[in-house]
Amino acid sequence: MQDLIWTGALNDAHRIGGRIGLYDTTLRDGEQTVGVVLDPEQKLEIARLLDQLGVDRIEAGFPRVSEDDWRAVELISAAGLKAEIWGFSRAVAADVEALVELGVSASVIESPISDRKLETLGVSRETMLERIAKAVAFAAEHGITVAFFGVDSTRAEPNFYELAYKTAVEAGAKEVVAVDTLGIASPEAVAELVGRTVEWLPGVPVHFHGHDDFGLATASAVAAVRAGATWIQGTINGMGERAGNASLGELALTLQALYGVESNVRLERIREVSERVRELSGYQLDPWKPVTGDTLFRRESGAVAAQFHDPQAIEPYSSQLVGAQRGIVLGKKSGIDSIRIKADELGLDLPEERHAEVLAAVKKLGAEKRGLVTDDEFRQLALNG
């Protein structure tokens, strides 16, 4: 695998090593993307794709949201997947009772813990601690493995954050999640928070759940791993509310390629999973998006096309690593090498003395169209002169 990564030695001094578990919340937090609605059968299809991708844990949903969500959790739990199937609940009795009724064996239990959230809800710190203790204890008594999820962790008062998490663990939570609900924390702050949590709760696995409001979700997740987090939560394509969640594909590739942290994700399948989730969800991605973007391995620039024969000169990792295809596309920015490569690709007998003429025609058409020249258009230019 390492021979497909061409990042050089610059990062070697900053490697972390080891392994990380990846927890997917596409079917719950990801579906909170504005305008996205997935029915139970679609969620089951995505869960199967996630399982084949090698995701360790799949959050099947929040059963009390709707009948469809309840049914999705039932379907996914009964599907015989290799991944662990997790539920989601608030620190509310009815939510946890629903998990028990469904026979869910593991679940996140969330509770707001920042003063801003508590004030908005009109709930005191003391009351919220009571709710946390009761909900977690009830779930644990019924055999549910609980990961306590403190909503808005990164804006919580530090002493109350510590108290809330210790309360949850004392009540029976086996794992905890440090949560950057609004994506406001710098990577350095995330590292500090996760590091403190690991120190306060020895032997308790710590997750990190981050959002991308400042474009730092991946960087913050890396910081969390360096600080001792053993699980990172995210979604396919980074889908989610506002600017979305950490993208699982970006996380897996970044951690492996730049930091030497292994996961069970099969990166060669990430683009097909990304595409199918997009189709089912009805949204598009920026074509230049890392890992899954459509243009990552397509080259229009003539200067880059001149080096196309040597992928390591123009790409940081092999297209094979993420199951993508390389290719030359034609347009205003093409060069002589672009014409030669495209002619060879299409099996056209285009004499070298005509390359400059055809290039001029391609650049002219690309400028007029304000876009790319298609293969059929290129054929016409090449054949008709």
Side-chain angles (χ1 to χ4, degrees):
M1 189 71 74
Q2 284 303 121
D3 61 341
L4 301 179
I5 298 169
W6 309 318
T7 52
L10 181 65
N11 299 309
D12 289 355
H14 306 285
R15 290 171 72 83
I16 301 171
R19 297 190 70 84
I20 192 71
L22 292 179
Y23 177 114
D24 181 89
T25 181
T26 300
L27 303 178
R28 197 273 306 173
D29 209 355
E31 196 194 20
Q32 290 178 208
T33 302
V34 171
V36 172
V37 178
L38 298 166
D39 66 34
E41 288 71 27
Q42 290 172 326
K43 288 191 174 184
L44 176 60
E45 179 183 348
I46 291 173
R48 292 188 190 280
L49 289 171
L50 294 170
D51 194 48
Q52 294 162 10
L53 184 63
V55 168
D56 303 283
R57 292 176 172 177
I58 299 170
E59 191 172 274
F62 180 7
R64 289 201 67 226
V65 166
S66 69
E67 290 183 8
D68 271 1
D69 288 270
W70 182 290
R71 177 60 177 154
V73 175
E74 280 186 322
L75 288 175
I76 295 167
S77 297
L81 304 182
K82 294 179 183 177
E84 293 180 22
I85 307 304
W86 282 59
F88 184 88
S89 164
R90 297 166 298 180
V92 173
D95 287 7
V96 184
E97 288 165 4
L99 298 176
V100 173
E101 183 177 344
L102 280 165
V104 172
S105 61
S107 182
V108 159
I109 292 183
E110 74 156 22
S111 174
I113 60 170
S114 70
D115 287 335
R116 172 65 66 186
K117 291 281 190 183
L118 294 175
E119 289 167 8
T120 300
L121 295 171
V123 178
S124 69
R125 287 182 177 183
E126 293 72 23
T127 298
M128 191 55 73
L129 289 176
E130 291 173 4
R131 290 182 183 179
I132 292 168
K134 287 180 181 178
V136 171
F138 183 81
E141 288 165 6
H142 285 82
I144 296 173
T145 298
V146 175
F148 175 67
F149 187 104
V151 175
D152 212 14
S153 299
T154 50
R155 295 197 301 174
E157 192 276 320
N159 290 332
F160 185 65
Y161 172 97
E162 180 180 359
L163 181 58
Y165 278 68
K166 286 183 175 178
T167 296
V169 171
E170 289 168 3
K174 299 299 184 185
E175 303 182 12
V176 296
V177 189
V179 189
D180 192 14
T181 301
L182 298 180
I184 58 87
S186 68
E188 295 81 4
V190 168
E192 183 179 353
L193 181 63
V194 169
R196 289 204 309 263
T197 307
V198 171
E199 182 180 340
W200 291 331
L201 302 171
V204 177
V206 176
H207 302 221
F208 176 67
H209 176 109
H211 285 255
D212 204 33
D213 295 77
F214 286 88
L216 292 171
T218 296
S220 292
V222 170
V225 174
R226 189 179 293 281
T230 51
W231 289 93
I232 298 294
Q233 300 191 359
T235 62
I236 295 301
N237 298 326
M239 62 190 294
E241 282 193 284
R242 302 183 322 278
N245 289 259
S247 167
L248 279 186
E250 290 180 25
L251 286 172
L253 179 61
T254 298
L255 286 166
Q256 178 179 330
L258 304 185
Y259 295 94
V261 179
E262 301 292 330
S263 73
N264 289 325
V265 166
R266 298 174 60 190
L267 284 167
E268 73 277 7
R269 303 200 66 165
I270 189 63
R271 290 172 71 92
E272 65 179 272
V273 175
S274 165
E275 183 176 0
R276 185 57 181 150
V277 171
R278 276 182 274 167
E279 290 172 351
L280 292 172
S281 303
Y283 61 81
Q284 299 297 317
L285 293 181
D286 289 337
W288 47 81
K289 187 172 177 62
V291 186
T292 54
D294 290 339
T295 62
L296 294 188
F297 299 96
R298 300 168 71 197
R299 301 288 174 259
E300 182 186 354
S301 167
V304 177
Q307 305 169 60
F308 189 74
H309 62 284
D310 184 4
Q312 295 189 36
I314 58 174
E315 293 158 11
Y317 56 88
S318 171
S319 58
Q320 298 174 44
L321 187 62
V322 293
Q325 296 294 319
R326 301 178 75 237
I328 288 289
V329 294
L330 301 177
K332 172 190 169 184
K333 298 178 287 291
S334 295
I336 286 290
D337 289 287
S338 309
I339 301 303
R340 174 183 53 78
I341 294 169
K342 181 58 73 173
D344 289 345
E345 176 189 315
L346 298 177
L348 299 178
D349 183 13
L350 186 65
E352 187 174 347
E353 58 268 22
R354 290 200 56 226
H355 287 187
E357 166 204 335
V358 174
L359 173 60
V362 164
K363 292 171 77 72
K364 181 175 183 291
L365 180 57
E368 290 173 351
K369 290 182 65 178
R370 303 179 68 83
L372 296 177
V373 174
T374 68
D375 287 352
D376 285 342
E377 288 169 335
F378 177 71
R379 286 189 182 91
Q380 290 300 314
L381 293 174
L383 295 175
N384 298 336

